[in-house]
Amino acid sequence: MFHIPTKIFTGEPKDFSGEFACPGARRAFIVTGKSSAANGSLLDVKGLLEANGTEVFVFDATEENPSVENVAAAARLAAEARAELFVGIGGGSPLDAVKAVMLLAANAEKNFCDADAVRMLYDPAPLCKRLPVWAVPTTAGTGSETTPFAILTLHGKQTKQSMPHLVCMEKAFLCERYTASMPRRIASGTAADALAHLAEGYLSSRAGPLTDAMAEGGIASFSQSMDALANNALDAEHRSRLLSVSALAGMVITHTKTSLPHQMSYALTYNKKIPHGEACGLLLAEFMRFHANKKRTGRILNLLGLSDLDELKKYLRGILHTRLDLSREETAAYSAAAAANPERLRAHPYPVTEKDIAGIYERSMS
């Protein structure tokens, strides 16, 4: 089955002002970070909601890699405000967080504790009540605006983990103007994340004709902005293109899920503080080298206009400006953790061992 329930609007939100009316929702709760106030997105969205008669509450303390405790704090405020509509504004952190905030606020009393939040969000038993959730991405790469997934930090497990509950955005508003102020490192890191989504989806055991078509189209589109990313020359056309690539990549992994680079990246983000997209980018070339389907990996390189995986590795290292440096003990621990997730390993079409994963880490450092 192929299904994408999200309505996507591309351009200035004011051009779709009527879409900011949500019948039956009198109170909206915005989940965001501090940057949305600087790039104009928060002011625009708040104004459009209020113009449609909606009272707006704002939580602007979303953490990078939000924890369950962080979303629980927001959810308690949302429950107190009796929110009926939830809007995530920002990069992957607020967009993932708002999904969890909605689930907690809709299904729990406002005085629930953090332990209750962990239990609710990671218990596979369904949370029956749902409320509308919208997305306004201000980075181009996480794809959370078109996926049903939300990944949170679990300090108790010292890792990041996707919730078992699936939450699709009802609407997503893609405006390139909001990405214009992205620092170079964030622009490159989120772009690498989008490329990883496309490549992992294309190489997944769950890939099919429809996801292949989207992945190939997304990779070809990404290639048109590679030079601009490398030269820090993203103009409005490139920013708009990368926003569309991100949304397309999200549609791909909604159906294929992600594979080894994402599973391996979580330990790097939690323990080594390497931003998520950068971690995926650092692992991507060696993951592709490990992958047994050389026809498919070759097709990705061809779409990118690259001759071999060494060229891809060099390009990604160049735009990410970061390196991977792990001790033997860290490599062993992170490989064991990645190998312990059979669901993620099922996305890889061939058997994968802990030793295989360690090899990808090791070669990604060379």
Side-chain angles (χ1 to χ4, degrees), residues 38-298:
N39 62 34
S41 55
L42 177 59
L43 184 64
D44 288 351
V45 172
K46 188 171 183 291
L48 288 164
L49 287 168
E50 290 174 340
N52 280 282
T54 306
E55 187 178 3
V56 178
F57 301 85
V58 178
F59 178 84
D60 65 356
T62 305
E63 299 170 339
E64 185 176 354
N65 306 304
S67 63
V68 171
E69 293 81 4
N70 186 224
V71 300
R76 285 188 282 269
L77 295 175
E80 187 174 322
R82 293 177 292 124
E84 298 161 309
L85 166 66
F86 294 78
V87 183
I89 305 177
S93 293
L95 299 192
D96 279 8
V98 73
K99 299 174 185 180
V101 171
M102 180 279 291
L103 285 175
L104 290 174
N107 291 279
E109 299 296 331
K110 62 185 179 182
N111 61 347
F112 63 90
C113 68
D114 291 343
D116 293 331
V118 173
R119 176 182 52 78
M120 290 177 64
L121 293 176
Y122 287 91
D123 186 332
L127 297 175
C128 297
K129 189 174 180 183
R130 302 292 180 99
L131 293 167
V133 185
W134 299 352
V136 183
T138 63
T139 65
T142 71
S144 187
E145 65 274 13
T146 54
T147 76
F149 312 126
I151 298 172
L152 304 176
T153 296
L154 290 171
H155 291 303
K157 294 185 176 182
Q158 296 188 338
T159 190
K160 296 171 64 179
Q161 186 173 329
S162 182
M163 299 188 309
H165 309 289
L166 303 181
V167 179
C168 291
M169 302 294 191
E170 184 181 276
K171 300 177 183 180
F173 299 88
L174 312 185
C175 178
E176 60 80 18
R177 179 168 55 87
Y178 299 149
T179 69
S181 59
M182 272 194 299
R184 183 178 187 179
R185 181 173 186 178
I186 294 178
S188 297
T190 52
D193 193 16
L195 179 60
H197 288 158
L198 292 164
E200 290 175 53
Y202 192 64
L203 298 173
S204 172
S205 60
R206 301 182 177 98
L210 290 176
T211 60
D212 282 354
M214 290 192 299
E216 290 190 355
I219 293 166
S221 187
F222 179 90
S223 72
Q224 297 178 53
S225 293
M226 286 174 65
D227 287 344
L229 279 165
N231 297 316
N232 194 28
L234 294 176
D235 59 16
E237 181 180 351
H238 287 297
R239 293 194 302 270
S240 181
R241 177 184 296 116
L242 290 173
L243 268 174
S244 295
V245 167
S246 173
L248 195 60
M251 296 178 201
V252 171
I253 62 169
T254 292
H255 295 85
T256 66
K257 298 189 177 179
T258 53
S259 189
L260 292 180
H262 270 69
Q263 177 64 12
M264 295 170 65
S265 75
Y266 298 147
L268 303 182
T269 298
Y270 189 89
N271 296 290
K272 307 296 286 187
K273 310 306 177 187
I274 300 175
H276 169 70
E278 294 184 26
C280 292
L282 289 172
L283 298 165
L284 183 59
E286 292 304 330
F287 159 70
M288 289 173 59
R289 200 186 308 275
F290 165 73
H291 202 283
N293 193 328
K294 302 308 178 187
K295 182 178 179 179
R296 288 208 157 223
T297 57

Side-chain angles (χ1 to χ4, degrees), residues 319-332:
I319 67 169
L320 297 176
H321 300 285
T322 190
R323 293 290 183 272
L324 186 58
D325 184 17
L326 302 178
S327 67
R328 288 184 179 181
E329 293 76 17
E330 288 172 329
T331 300

